Amino acid sequence: MSKVFHLLGDNFINKDGDSIALTSIQGKDKIIAVYFSAHWCPPCRNFTPKLAKFYNSVKQSQNGANFELIFVSSDKTEKEFSEYLSQMPWYALPYNKRTEKGKLSKHFKVNGIPTLIFLDGETGKVINKNGRSAVDTDPEGKNFPWKAKLLHDILKKGEYITNNDEKKLSFEEDIKGKVLGIYFSAHWCPPCKAFTPMLCDTYKAINKDEKKFEIIFVSSDQNEEAFKAYFAEMPFLALPYENAIKDDLSDYFEVEGIPMLIILDGDGKLITSSGRAVVSGDKEGKKFPWNPEPVEIFDEVSGPKVNDEACLIYIPAGDQETADQMKAILTPFGKECQKVSKEEDTPQDLFFFVAPTGANPVVESLCEFLGINKDEKSLFIVDVPSGELYKSTTAEPVQEEVSKFINDYRGGKLVAKNIRE
């Protein structure tokens, strides 16, 4: 069974007190929507009536029997939850399942509400993670279930040009199979102009003896003249200024700011969405293609991941022997996380790091941010997007203690410190 089905639990309730089993809404051709919302949230209160109209429309259509929606509440009390549920025609995760609610929020990386996600009822895989926008655009569900576009299909539709003769290349014949960078940038953006020369040098260094790395520049320039002037500085490929897939790529990777460099492996799987930081920390490309190890050294190349993911980090405080022992203990956990992520085609839920024993500005900055003494051994899990810090009571490389810390975290048994306070 998919991990998301384990997180959802066995039963759900509606406003009348009736219950429904997860098994009754699972299956081939079925769609499950998960709605993160709360009564205290004004955008939620504005969106919920629209969602109810959509829900009723779909339930009355020929697809109705294959669709169900589950409300996951962020209300502050059970009374508020019940009052809000009374306005809803669908089912909800029972309010007392707070642990499950927290795990679902982390699994889907919910950083704000309302959030509406559509799942395949057979596999549990995400069909559309931007459900709120889809409902706003298609309130009657005429194009439901709005299956998200596959990255390969998006890239296959594009045409790609070089900066010398604008020869048009195809993804299938000229790009597919290479490690690929997708570079969102613009000439008017000062950080972009500072990073682009570095990226060009790294690209040339990696491809010096053999073409192993391709980059596609996706422009946010304000006119074609600016695009051409900026692209003339680049040794790699670009989408033409007028193209059909820029918006699709921006939506797929949820681009909110530039420069942004996405790096994909030869199979089109994500290596990192923090390519800018990776290249900045490895200008000569010595660690290319930057595939993550089960346990990584927390440094300039790997460290930016802490901004986006839940990370377990060990600070050895200069003790190399202890650092090596902890890495050996953590490695099986890291391998298992990578294995599950690959098999289920889902994001990895926890990343593992050991800090270097020498002075390192990235480690020092993180410790200062979290209020942790960099000169003392410590083991902790930090989830920056959720604002949570979990500190282990022991910092010694003891298998049983480390395993218990990780299992208690996954089981929701640990109490987090709010790092935003």
Side-chain angles (χ1 to χ4, degrees), residues 312-324:
L312 181 149
I313 301 172
Y314 181 61
I315 307 293
D319 188 337
Q320 188 61 55
E321 182 179 0
T322 302
D324 292 342

Side-chain angles (χ1 to χ4, degrees), residues 281-282 284-291 297 299 301-302:
D282 183 28
E284 296 179 9
K286 292 181 178 179
K287 296 183 179 180
F288 175 83
W290 306 294
N291 286 311
I297 299 297
D299 58 15
V301 176
S302 64

Side-chain angles (χ1 to χ4, degrees), residues 128-173:
N128 193 307
K129 57 187 174 182
N130 297 312
R132 179 184 176 190
S133 174
V135 169
D136 282 337
T137 304
D138 182 19
E140 296 180 7
K142 292 180 180 179
N143 299 312
F144 177 77
W146 316 299
K147 291 190 176 182
K149 297 176 181 177
L150 299 175
L151 178 59
H152 178 265
D153 291 340
I154 296 172
L155 292 170
K156 190 168 62 174
K157 283 169 46 182
E159 290 184 327
Y160 307 93
I161 58 174
T162 59
N163 65 8
N164 48 12
D165 57 7
E166 294 198 353
K167 177 184 176 183
K168 289 184 170 57
L169 305 179
S170 79
F171 177 75
E172 291 287 323
E173 295 180 9

Side-chain angles (χ1 to χ4, degrees), residues 26 71 151 201 245 265 286 288 301 311 332 334 387 389 400 409:
Q26 287 176 285
F71 164 47
L151 178 59
D201 289 343
I245 68 169
D265 68 16
K286 292 181 178 179
F288 175 83
V301 176
C311 298
L389 173 66
E400 293 77 10
Y409 165 75

Side-chain angles (χ1 to χ4, degrees), residues 3 105-111 129 253-254 260 262-263 270-275 278 292 296 298 301-313 337 341 346-353 366 369-370 380-390 409-410 419-420:
K3 180 180 179 180
S105 295
K106 284 185 178 180
H107 179 78
F108 291 116
K109 298 182 180 179
V110 177
N111 295 321
K129 57 187 174 182
F253 292 111
E254 299 180 340
M260 183 173 186
I262 305 293
I263 299 174
L270 180 69
I271 293 177
T272 180
S273 57
S274 301
V278 166
E296 298 184 82
F298 191 81
V301 176
S302 64
K305 194 172 291 177
V306 77
N307 296 315
D308 305 308
E309 310 288 351
C311 298
L312 181 149
I313 301 172
C337 283
S341 175
T346 57
Q348 190 169 325
D349 66 345
L350 187 62
F351 293 82
F352 299 83
F353 298 89
L366 178 66
F369 172 63
L370 297 177
F380 56 88
I381 294 171
V382 60
D383 186 343
V384 171
S386 299
E388 297 171 346
L389 173 66
Y390 303 85
Y409 165 75
R410 287 190 163 140
I419 61 177
R420 294 175 181 148

Side-chain angles (χ1 to χ4, degrees), residues 8-64:
L8 279 169
D10 298 326
N11 290 280
F12 312 100
I13 59 172
N14 65 11
K15 60 185 178 184
D16 299 320
D18 300 325
S19 64
I20 189 173
L22 173 64
T23 52
S24 69
I25 61 175
Q26 287 176 285
K28 184 176 175 58
D29 298 326
K30 293 194 174 183
I31 304 294
I32 301 172
V34 184
Y35 180 42
F36 296 87
S37 185
H39 187 265
W40 52 261
C41 161
C44 298
R45 293 200 305 271
N46 181 54
F47 179 66
T48 296
K50 299 178 184 177
L51 182 58
K53 289 181 180 179
F54 158 78
Y55 176 86
N56 290 330
S57 176
V58 173
K59 292 297 283 184
Q60 292 168 12
S61 72
Q62 61 182 6
N63 294 318

